[in-house]
Amino acid sequence: MIPLMVAFPLLFGFIIVILDTLRAKKILIKASFILGAVLPAGIFLVGNGREIVGGWSRVAGIEVGIGEINAPFIAGELMLFTVVAFYSLSYFDFRDKKTAKALVLFLLMHAGLLGAFLARDFFNFYIYMEIASVSAFALVAFSEEPGSKKAAFKYLILSLLASYLFIFAIGVIYMETGYLNVELVAENALPSRELSTALGVAFASLLLKAGIFPLHGWLPDAHSKAPTPVSALLSGLVVKAPAYGMILLFSALPVGESLKTAAMMVAVASIFFGIVMALLQKDAKRLLAYHTVSQMGYVLLGIATFNFIGAAYYALAHSLFKGGLFLSVGSLGTRSRKLGEFGYRNAPLMAFSVLMLSLAIGGVSPFIGSYAKGLISSGLEGGLKWTVLAGTIGTLVSFTKLNYHLSRGETEDLRPSWKLSSLVLALTTLGAGLYLGAGLKPTDVIYIAAAVLTFFGLRALGVFEREVESEAKDVGRDVNVLAAVFVTFMLAVLLLQWP
């Protein structure tokens, strides 16, 4: 039954292609799209455990499963994708002939992400992650935003480079252990130079695909230039697939202390680099994109400390609040995305949603962000716990800036489905936090006050007048530089593991 979670989106994507070719009525295409989006959730609610597709042996067969580590990834995917699917039906103009093709790409991404999160072997994880990635490239290019084609091209080239090296690493793992199944690899993997090399190459490749510093170069352009529902999926879901791949790698292969330490250092650097860059942005969607770089640092911090449950719940939390923020800000800023030129002053429901989502991403209780940060902190020792606290205040400063500007501007009339989508995700972050047991923490009042005071202090110093221009002028040169950074980073990871 579990494989049906992937089969339904593929089936209804195929049906939409046929309906579009036959020029069927829009209502049939919309109904097929919604069925492909929501039916996997029904399987998730009744299915659990593990299955071997086709009943083959575990050695040769394709194993899929739902367990305590991948269930939060899958739950986040299903909740966010369902909301984005309803949002997309009113976002895309069905008078545009490309709309049906966009909906098919959405369902392909849905199938790819679910397949990657369900996978219990490296090869099928790779195949499904690539299906999601290819859909993502095409959907970014669908945007009419200036620079979107360049952003899609840069995303495509760098992601393919990472893919080729990742499949090479999988080949080395198979050569050394004789298996692709994660548990069989874990049972047979012995420390060796070959496996260390494969682990380093695969880890660096997945870091690039997850958009984590210093391999984040493609992410701000791709996430900010994409159509609003695509931005929500890219930031909320697509970067989570490589994070899940890192969990598979770290749970199956011998990971040395040097690599664990390096991963923790990269995670901390990503958290604070993303915050600093977000504070210097004047484009609202670009601000949110840099916060993806920062937030993925928390997920990596959980993985690096082998706190896989913490990383999985942080990924779930980030899917909800970041997806909601992209939908909210994208809906408000249809004419301009520049801070100060639009806002929610005349849209109280959107103001309520954005404020709730901002508190959720800041880790304020009782939202799900607080619960997830608590899990991440529980696996940390010494100064790393203070890192999470400092990151929380930094994130709150950045979202104080966002809400300060949004509270001073107005928006055009918003479609009811757009307001409802933002509200549903905002309430979900609160409901999920309460359900998981995120109790009220009085100290959060101190953090919020510190963040507001810091924001006005930085504003008085003129820090927000500065802007770091990072959009590529020459995309070919940009790709070469980012590829060089990737190769250098990968070599550094390999040297760290040298005995």
Side-chain angles (χ1 to χ4, degrees):
M1 185 178 285
I2 293 174
L4 289 177
M5 292 180 69
V6 180
F8 279 132
L10 292 175
L11 172 65
F12 284 98
F14 180 66
I15 290 173
I16 291 174
V17 171
I18 294 175
L19 291 174
D20 185 45
T21 304
L22 297 175
R23 299 188 179 182
K25 292 183 178 180
K26 288 187 296 184
I27 187 67
L28 293 175
I29 293 177
K30 289 182 178 181
S32 299
F33 178 60
I34 293 300
L35 284 172
V38 303
L39 283 179
I43 304 294
F44 178 67
L45 293 175
V46 299
N48 55 47
R50 296 182 180 183
E51 292 181 26
I52 309 291
V53 180
W56 295 87
S57 75
R58 200 179 189 191
V59 175
I62 299 170
E63 184 174 9
V64 294
I66 300 173
E68 61 176 353
I69 291 177
N70 65 350
F73 283 97
I74 298 169
E77 204 279 348
L78 291 169
M79 287 191 277
L80 179 58
F81 193 89
T82 300
V83 174
V84 170
F86 283 99
Y87 180 98
S88 299
L89 289 181
S90 60
Y91 181 88
F92 289 103
D93 185 353
F94 270 82
R95 286 174 295 183
D96 185 338
K97 292 181 180 178
K98 294 191 296 184
T99 296
K101 297 177 177 60
L103 299 185
V104 172
L105 288 170
F106 270 106
L107 290 181
L108 280 177
M109 182 190 289
H110 193 28
L113 290 169
L114 287 172
F117 294 143
L118 290 169
R120 297 296 305 159
D121 74 89
F122 288 112
F123 187 73
N124 281 284
F125 164 77
Y126 164 77
I127 293 296
Y128 283 113
M129 182 176 65
E130 288 308 293
I131 290 174
S133 296
V134 170
S135 308
F137 310 145
L139 284 168
V140 172
F142 258 76
S143 175
E144 299 299 328
E145 183 85 18
S148 62
K149 306 298 183 289
K150 288 182 180 178
F153 177 76
K154 187 161 65 173
Y155 182 16
L156 168 70
I157 297 299
L158 290 167
S159 185
L160 284 180
L161 175 60
S163 297
Y164 295 148
L165 288 166
F166 184 73
I167 193 67
F168 164 76
I170 291 175
V172 175
I173 293 170
Y174 181 71
M175 184 179 70
E176 286 296 301
T177 66
Y179 299 103
L180 291 170
N181 183 289
V182 174
E183 287 198 4
L184 294 176
V185 169
E187 291 170 5
N188 292 278
L190 298 173
S192 69
R193 185 172 293 177
E194 289 78 9
L195 279 183
S196 294
T197 301
L199 177 61
V201 171
F203 177 63
S205 302
L206 293 176
L207 276 184
L208 188 149
K209 281 179 168 284
I212 293 173
F213 175 84
L215 307 179
H216 65 285
W218 59 270
L219 187 148
D221 286 347
H223 286 205
S224 62
K225 300 290 184 184
T228 292
V230 179
S231 297
L233 293 179
L234 289 175
S235 182
L237 301 178
V238 175
V239 293
K240 305 301 187 317
Y244 178 65
M246 290 180 216
I247 291 177
L248 295 182
L249 279 175
F250 276 38
S251 60
L253 298 178
V255 181
E257 287 300 317
S258 57
L259 183 59
K260 286 173 65 178
T261 304
M264 282 190 274
M265 291 172 64
V266 169
V268 172
S270 196
I271 290 170
F272 292 104
F273 174 82
I275 290 172
V276 171
M277 291 301 292
L279 284 170
L280 298 175
Q281 300 304 310
K282 293 183 178 177
D283 181 308
K285 283 183 73 174
R286 206 168 177 84
L287 181 152
L288 294 179
Y290 272 109
H291 269 291
T292 302
V293 178
S294 174
Q295 296 287 308
M296 288 304 293
Y298 290 104
V299 178
L300 179 60
L301 198 55
I303 296 169
T305 52
F306 279 55
N307 180 4
F308 300 144
I309 296 291
Y313 275 96
Y314 205 91
L316 163 64
H318 184 254
S319 297
L320 298 175
F321 51 63
K322 182 51 75 63
L325 283 164
F326 262 114
L327 291 186
S328 304
V329 172
S331 301
L332 291 167
T334 49
R335 279 193 174 182
S336 171
R337 296 185 334 218
K338 189 173 182 180
L339 292 172
E341 294 184 356
F342 71 99
Y344 51 50
R345 194 171 181 177
N346 61 335
L349 196 61
M350 288 296 276
F352 176 71
S353 300
V354 174
L355 283 169
M356 288 183 75
L357 292 163
S358 300
L359 293 173
I361 196 172
V364 174
S365 60
F367 293 91
I368 190 172
S370 170
Y371 174 79
K373 275 189 180 168
L375 283 181
I376 294 291
S377 292
S378 68
L380 303 178
E381 296 177 354
L384 282 175
K385 283 185 180 289
W386 292 100
T387 297
V388 174
L389 174 60
T392 294
I393 295 176
T395 302
L396 287 170
V397 173
S398 182
F399 280 88
T400 302
K401 174 188 172 183
L402 176 68
N403 282 281
Y404 172 81
H405 288 291
L406 293 180
S407 66
R408 298 164 73 89
E410 295 189 346
T411 184
E412 297 179 334
D413 287 340
L414 297 169
R415 297 177 187 178
S417 61
W418 294 6
K419 290 187 279 190
L420 183 62
S421 298
S422 300
L423 182 63
V424 165
L425 287 171
L427 292 175
T428 303
T429 59
L430 177 60
L434 292 171
Y435 174 77
L436 292 168
L440 280 171
K441 297 177 184 172
T443 50
D444 285 343
V445 176
I446 299 172
Y447 302 153
I448 294 172
V452 172
L453 288 174
T454 305
F455 164 72
F456 282 106
L458 293 174
R459 184 169 175 270
L461 292 172
V463 172
F464 300 130
E465 299 301 320
R466 302 177 182 180
E467 183 178 19
V468 177
E469 181 57 57
S470 55
E471 191 170 332
K473 301 297 182 188
D474 182 340
V475 68
R477 181 181 177 186
D478 207 29
V479 166
N480 288 339
V481 170
L482 294 173
V485 171
F486 170 58
V487 172
T488 304
F489 180 87
M490 186 177 61
L491 290 174
V493 170
L494 296 180
L495 288 173
L496 273 175
Q497 298 185 93
W498 202 260

